[in-house]
Amino acid sequence: MKPNFTLRLRIFNLNCWAIPYLSKRRADRMKRLGDFLNMESFDLALLEEVWSEQDFQHLRQKLLPSYPAAHYFRSGVIGSGLCVFSKHPVREFTQHVYTLNGYPYMIHHGDWFCGKAVGLLVLHLSGLVLNVYVTHLHAEYSRQKDIYLTHRVAQAWELAQFIHHTSKKADVVLLCGDLNLHPKDLGCRLLKEWTGLHDAYLETRDFKGSEEGCTMVPENCYVNQRELEPFPLGIRIDYVLYKAVSGFYISCKTLRTTTGHDPHSGSPLSDHEALMATLCVRHSPPQHTPSPTHGPEGSQLISVLKEAWRELDLGVAQARWWATFASYVIGLGLLLLALLCALAAGGGVREVAILLWTPSVGLLLGAGAVYLFHMQEAKGLSGARAELQHVLGRAGEAQDSGPASQPALLLGQQEGDGTEEQ
Amino acid sequence: MKPNFTLRLRIFNLNCWAIPYLSKRRADRMKRLGDFLNMESFDLALLEEVWSEQDFQHLRQKLLPSYPAAHYFRSGVIGSGLCVFSKHPVREFTQHVYTLNGYPYMIHHGDWFCGKAVGLLVLHLSGLVLNVYVTHLHAEYSRQKDIYLTHRVAQAWELAQFIHHTSKKADVVLLCGDLNLHPKDLGCRLLKEWTGLHDAYLETRDFKGSEEGCTMVPENCYVNQRELEPFPLGIRIDYVLYKAVSGFYISCKTLRTTTGHDPHSGSPLSDHEALMATLCVRHSPPQHTPSPTHGPEGSQLISVLKEAWRELDLGVAQARWWATFASYVIGLGLLLLALLCALAAGGGVREVAILLWTPSVGLLLGAGAVYLFHMQEAKGLSGARAELQHVLGRAGEAQDSGPASQPALLLGQQEGDGTEEQ
């Protein structure tokens, strides 16, 4: 790479809202999306909620000349909904499916069946190693009573850890997707603090689009207006996040969003707004390298880690409560079945006993499934909690050995092995 | 690190066979294991099948003075069974749970409930970054008719990809565990070819232990003798694998295994044999650096990737067949229920109709669960197949651009972006 070299990247991100049979005017919107992507010829187009593999295959055929590389990330029962199109060759693809992703019995929400995941593509561009992540976290169906909060925090932590551990040799890291998190939400702060990623909307000096960068706005005719009532301007839950490491500097030259309608025709491409960012990567003079060793950043990191730990701890307790409750129901169901067997054998209320047999067996099997599910949930949450605990333990030791070394130690960017770990 | 510096690592690995209520003499064996680890004071002890967290906590208390760092990897309903004890501080822990891990209805095998995983610990020792992985893959219950073969191949690929993507900045990579794979099995070859890991048993010049390095031997009184009948010497399914990158050289000075009994008392520590390796890491003169660009290694890699692709492809077809079969049963069940409702309402054979209600509902729910499970299995397998397909596609392009660059290109170790990717 030449000293004065600048790499310019044009990125497109959209949650496509392409649910077969359910999403309005899906075929038309996907067709227009393909036309738009072909016309604009971005370096990378990252899409979420492309639930039908057929939609992906149609797009792939259409985009082949301008985006020769493409990948669809398969997981869960339905799929992750994630796919990517790239103008440049992609070295490597892989994916990580989140351990926790809602509840199978919340069939009307459906997230559990999707197998939400994070996809990774590694590109080598002009001698730079670029790790690009695309993801979609569990939806938030009620902000007042959000039963999925703990799962979303656990997903944010898994995402942060996946990025942290897989991007150690990357020069540039880019994360796009629908996080289903508002900018100040715990999961979003946890992700940004632990990975050191910067928010394109907050960093750019040239933004044009919806007010406050919102990616779900009331002007969009596909948006459920009632859900947006508490937010007159809309909400910002889709992101372009980035960082550069080791001698490089990345900045967001321009950021555009759609504003409730297709940039060309009047009708919107999705119920979400598209994000279009132009990023510049260049060699960094030392003062430009973002340093993770600032005191205040370190203390922010610790405070957000503690907050996440508490949230996961609550989640573990709740999951264990459900598992215990289910085990009592199992006991009760077994008792009921024994009673019904005795009644059926003894004659008398035989027909009633036989009638009650079905709900009793159903109760037993249902409670068994609930028990297994919440045991698994408790294990998953306590796994994430243990990882946070370990990071916080190291922070404590670092504080003892002086505040200057603390965040660097936490981020694993220091050589040597000066601390003990319990 | 000084030029003549040598880092010596003493590693212990054991599948502990510590299943509460089921494993024979578990408490006594865990006690003796703790005594042995304390006495020997290894650098790292990596354990599998510690299914009870209480057993881990007892060991942790006992080993605290000699192994101040410890971690238990939680996942699934029961747990992953994996834990580690380290004499040195551990920088970071994380884990990856395998997407596919057997079938929930094979309750007597139980693997599905365990949440088999790979655990990662990152250590910094004398300026070296050490990535240590511990894992346990799905068991093989019948070698003649192995219904879990595809899942184990998918797990081996996920493990290889996880190591590949998380160890890019590591100087030394170490993998220990029970792979449930014989040395020549597809999964084992795939793992070794894709990661470049070397097998301590094949590399060391100083081996003492069971014949042919077997880790399940007929001399062990806890081993099911009937299962070992086709293998008079035993089988080798537990491994210490390693590699060093970028200017370092790693070798296995000594490898020891137990031989069916505790090294001190007569009774064995587990139904598996323990592995004890002494590894040496030092600066590498250029000729010692293992090169991934040798022609034969590259063609071996491609052939094993193709073999794995075919295996996964068969698995996808089979999973889809089961999902289709389950969907027919669902249709049949719905028809039966409608018929029973009509019969019950119409009088006549009312009691029979009511009696048949339970099995019909059961059939319907069961078939629904089987359908969902196999849809998910098909998605998981086709995800892994797509990753293999991409690697093979790149291999094809590399072959077109000359054989010398091909394996390096595959392993992502070349700069520049000379190839197109479809």
Side-chain angles (χ1 to χ4, degrees):
Chain A
M1 192 169 166
K2 292 166 204 154
N4 294 327
F5 181 87
T6 300
L7 178 70
R8 194 166 154 275
L9 284 171
R10 292 183 64 236
I11 312 291
F12 177 89
N13 179 75
L14 178 66
N15 175 325
C16 297
W17 188 50
I19 315 168
Y21 314 114
L22 293 178
S23 300
K24 284 179 200 159
R25 302 191 62 190
R26 176 177 127 249
D28 170 60
R29 290 188 289 108
M30 292 306 276
K31 190 197 153 291
R32 285 190 291 119
L33 173 64
D35 294 339
F36 180 72
L37 291 179
N38 259 337
M39 201 183 61
E40 289 284 335
S41 188
F42 294 97
D43 291 287
L44 279 167
L46 304 139
L47 308 180
E48 301 94 51
E49 288 211 14
V50 181
W51 297 118
S52 143
E53 193 163 340
Q54 220 176 356
D55 280 348
F56 165 75
Q57 294 299 352
H58 287 159
L59 270 179
R60 187 184 186 156
Q61 284 307 316
K62 189 168 189 166
L63 300 180
L64 203 56
S66 24
Y67 302 84
H71 193 77
Y72 190 68
F73 295 96
R74 292 158 187 90
S75 70
V77 178
I78 298 167
S80 70
L82 306 171
C83 61
V84 292
F85 296 93
S86 167
K87 194 195 274 184
H88 311 282
V90 176
R91 288 259 156 174
E92 302 179 308
F93 287 110
T94 197
Q95 67 185 48
H96 173 86
V97 182
Y98 298 121
T99 313
L100 296 168
N101 185 37
Y103 304 97
Y105 44 80
M106 302 301 266
I107 295 170
H108 57 302
H109 286 165
D111 291 62
W112 187 83
F113 296 90
C114 299
K116 295 273 173 82
V118 46
L120 161 61
L121 38 159
V122 182
L123 294 96
H124 289 200
L125 291 179
S126 317
L128 278 178
V129 178
L130 197 74
N131 272 30
V132 182
Y133 301 85
V134 57
T135 196
H136 186 191
L137 303 191
H138 197 294
E140 184 186 72
Y141 295 95
S142 160
R143 200 154 173 85
Q144 284 68 46
K145 207 188 164 193
D146 180 13
I147 58 166
Y148 303 112
L149 175 61
T150 319
H151 282 208
R152 217 176 301 102
V153 171
Q155 288 185 343
W157 175 249
E158 261 188 70
L159 172 60
Q161 280 278 72
F162 183 72
I163 294 174
H164 175 68
H165 284 281
T166 55
S167 69
K168 289 185 177 178
K169 223 187 166 182
D171 299 307
V172 174
V173 176
L174 180 66
L175 166 64
C176 293
D178 175 2
L179 301 183
N180 275 308
L181 291 164
H182 295 218
K184 298 252 162 108
D185 284 357
L186 172 57
C188 197
R189 285 181 286 127
L190 180 65
L191 174 67
K192 283 161 71 179
E193 287 292 334
W194 187 233
T195 58
L197 287 167
H198 299 282
D199 186 340
Y201 172 72
L202 300 178
E203 301 285 323
T204 188
R205 287 183 195 170
D206 180 358
F207 173 77
K208 280 198 191 83
S210 55
E211 275 191 84
E212 297 191 2
C214 290
T215 57
M216 289 196 90
V217 296
E219 291 79 18
N220 187 308
C221 63
Y222 297 131
V223 163
N224 184 331
Q225 300 296 332
R226 212 167 52 85
E227 279 176 15
L228 277 193
E229 256 168 27
F231 309 99
L233 295 177
I235 55 177
R236 188 158 79 88
I237 57 174
D238 301 82
Y239 295 84
V240 173
L241 302 166
Y242 55 75
K243 70 170 177 181
V245 285
S246 58
F248 294 102
Y249 177 68
I250 183 167
S251 60
C252 181
K253 288 293 162 206
T254 68
L255 182 68
R256 303 282 177 264
T257 74
T258 51
T259 53
H261 41 79
D262 182 316
H264 301 285
S265 86
S267 165
L269 287 172
S270 168
D271 63 344
H272 285 242
E273 301 310 314
L275 288 163
M276 289 157 280
T278 307
L279 306 176
C280 275
V281 186
R282 54 185 170 82
H283 275 293
S284 153
Q287 69 272 22
H288 270 135
T289 313
S291 155
T293 53
H294 288 158
E297 285 182 30
S299 65
Q300 261 176 38
L301 170 62
I302 290 167
S303 118
V304 77
L305 285 170
K306 278 185 183 162
E307 204 179 326
W309 188 93
R310 282 192 296 271
E311 187 55 47
L312 293 181
D313 195 52
L314 278 176
V316 172
Q318 202 169 41
R320 285 197 182 138
W321 187 91
W322 277 106
T324 311
F325 175 75
S327 67
Y328 285 131
V329 176
I330 290 170
L332 210 75
L334 283 172
L335 216 75
L336 193 67
L337 268 187
L339 193 74
L340 290 177
C341 284
L343 282 175
V349 284
R350 206 169 154 188
E351 201 165 295
V352 179
I354 290 169
L355 259 176
L356 285 175
W357 184 262
T358 304
S360 306
V361 169
L363 184 78
L364 203 63
L365 290 177
V370 170
Y371 173 78
L372 289 180
F373 180 80
H374 287 289
M375 280 299 285
Q376 179 261 125
E377 187 191 20
K379 277 280 191 304
L381 289 172
S382 58
R385 187 185 59 177
E387 285 181 19
L388 282 168
Q389 178 96 52
H390 175 253
V391 177
L392 283 165
R394 285 180 50 77
E397 291 155 9
Q399 259 165 345
D400 294 345
S401 66
S405 65
Q406 163 196 321
L409 205 70
L410 271 177
L411 292 162
Q413 291 174 344
Q414 229 188 24
E415 295 294 295
D417 49 327
T419 55
E420 288 290 300
E421 183 292 307
Q422 298 296 313
Chain B
M1 194 170 167
K2 291 168 208 152
N4 294 326
F5 181 88
T6 301
L7 178 70
R8 194 167 154 274
L9 285 171
R10 291 184 63 235
I11 312 291
F12 178 90
N13 178 77
L14 178 67
N15 175 325
C16 297
W17 189 50
I19 315 168
Y21 313 116
L22 292 179
S23 302
K24 284 178 201 162
R25 303 191 62 190
R26 175 176 129 250
D28 170 59
R29 288 188 291 107
M30 292 305 275
K31 190 195 153 291
R32 284 189 292 121
L33 173 65
D35 294 338
F36 180 72
L37 291 179
N38 259 337
M39 201 182 60
E40 289 284 335
S41 189
F42 294 97
D43 291 286
L44 280 166
L46 305 138
L47 307 180
E48 301 94 49
E49 287 211 16
V50 181
W51 296 118
S52 144
E53 194 163 339
Q54 219 175 0
D55 280 349
F56 165 73
Q57 294 299 352
H58 286 160
L59 269 179
R60 185 184 187 158
Q61 283 309 315
K62 189 168 185 166
L63 301 180
L64 201 57
S66 25
Y67 303 84
H71 193 76
Y72 190 69
F73 295 96
R74 292 159 188 89
S75 72
V77 178
I78 297 167
S80 69
L82 306 172
C83 61
V84 292
F85 296 92
S86 166
K87 195 195 272 186
H88 312 282
V90 176
R91 287 261 157 174
E92 302 179 310
F93 286 110
T94 196
Q95 67 186 46
H96 173 85
V97 182
Y98 297 121
T99 311
L100 296 168
N101 185 36
Y103 304 96
Y105 44 80
M106 302 299 267
I107 296 171
H108 57 301
H109 287 165
D111 292 63
W112 186 84
F113 297 89
C114 299
K116 296 272 172 85
V118 46
L120 161 61
L121 39 158
V122 181
L123 293 97
H124 288 201
L125 291 179
S126 318
L128 279 177
V129 178
L130 196 76
N131 271 29
V132 182
Y133 300 85
V134 59
T135 196
H136 186 190
L137 304 191
H138 197 294
E140 184 187 72
Y141 294 96
S142 159
R143 200 155 173 85
Q144 282 69 46
K145 205 185 165 196
D146 181 11
I147 57 167
Y148 303 111
L149 175 63
T150 320
H151 283 210
R152 216 177 301 101
V153 171
Q155 288 186 343
W157 175 249
E158 260 188 71
L159 171 60
Q161 280 280 70
F162 183 72
I163 294 174
H164 175 68
H165 284 280
T166 54
S167 68
K168 289 185 177 177
K169 223 189 166 180
D171 299 306
V172 174
V173 176
L174 180 66
L175 166 63
C176 294
D178 175 1
L179 301 184
N180 275 310
L181 292 164
H182 295 217
K184 299 251 164 108
D185 283 357
L186 171 58
C188 196
R189 284 181 286 128
L190 180 66
L191 173 69
K192 283 160 73 180
E193 287 292 334
W194 187 234
T195 57
L197 287 166
H198 300 281
D199 186 339
Y201 173 71
L202 300 177
E203 301 285 322
T204 188
R205 288 183 193 169
D206 180 359
F207 172 77
K208 280 199 190 82
S210 54
E211 274 190 85
E212 297 191 1
C214 290
T215 58
M216 289 197 90
V217 295
E219 291 79 18
N220 188 309
C221 61
Y222 296 131
V223 163
N224 184 332
Q225 300 296 331
R226 211 167 52 84
E227 279 175 15
L228 278 193
E229 257 169 26
F231 309 99
L233 295 176
I235 55 177
R236 188 158 80 88
I237 58 174
D238 301 83
Y239 295 84
V240 172
L241 303 165
Y242 56 74
K243 71 171 177 181
V245 286
S246 59
F248 294 100
Y249 177 68
I250 184 168
S251 60
C252 179
K253 287 295 160 200
T254 67
L255 182 67
R256 304 281 176 265
T257 72
T258 50
T259 52
H261 41 77
D262 179 319
H264 299 286
S265 85
S267 166
L269 287 171
S270 167
D271 62 345
H272 285 242
E273 302 309 313
L275 288 163
M276 290 157 280
T278 306
L279 306 175
C280 274
V281 186
R282 55 186 170 78
H283 275 294
S284 152
Q287 68 271 24
H288 270 134
T289 312
S291 155
T293 53
H294 288 157
E297 286 181 29
S299 64
Q300 259 174 40
L301 170 62
I302 290 167
S303 119
V304 77
L305 286 170
K306 278 186 183 160
E307 202 180 327
W309 189 94
R310 281 192 298 271
E311 186 56 45
L312 293 181
D313 195 52
L314 277 176
V316 172
Q318 200 170 42
R320 285 195 183 140
W321 187 90
W322 276 106
T324 311
F325 176 75
S327 68
Y328 286 131
V329 175
I330 290 171
L332 210 76
L334 282 172
L335 216 75
L336 194 66
L337 268 186
L339 193 74
L340 290 177
C341 284
L343 282 177
V349 282
R350 203 170 157 191
E351 200 165 297
V352 178
I354 291 169
L355 258 177
L356 285 175
W357 184 261
T358 305
S360 307
V361 170
L363 183 78
L364 202 64
L365 290 177
V370 169
Y371 174 78
L372 290 179
F373 181 80
H374 287 289
M375 281 300 284
Q376 179 261 126
E377 187 192 19
K379 277 278 190 308
L381 289 172
S382 56
R385 188 186 57 178
E387 285 180 20
L388 282 167
Q389 177 96 52
H390 176 253
V391 176
L392 283 165
R394 285 180 51 77
E397 291 155 9
Q399 259 166 346
D400 294 345
S401 65
S405 65
Q406 161 196 321
L409 205 70
L410 271 176
L411 293 161
Q413 290 172 347
Q414 230 187 24
E415 294 296 293
D417 49 328
T419 55
E420 285 292 299
E421 181 298 301
Q422 301 296 311

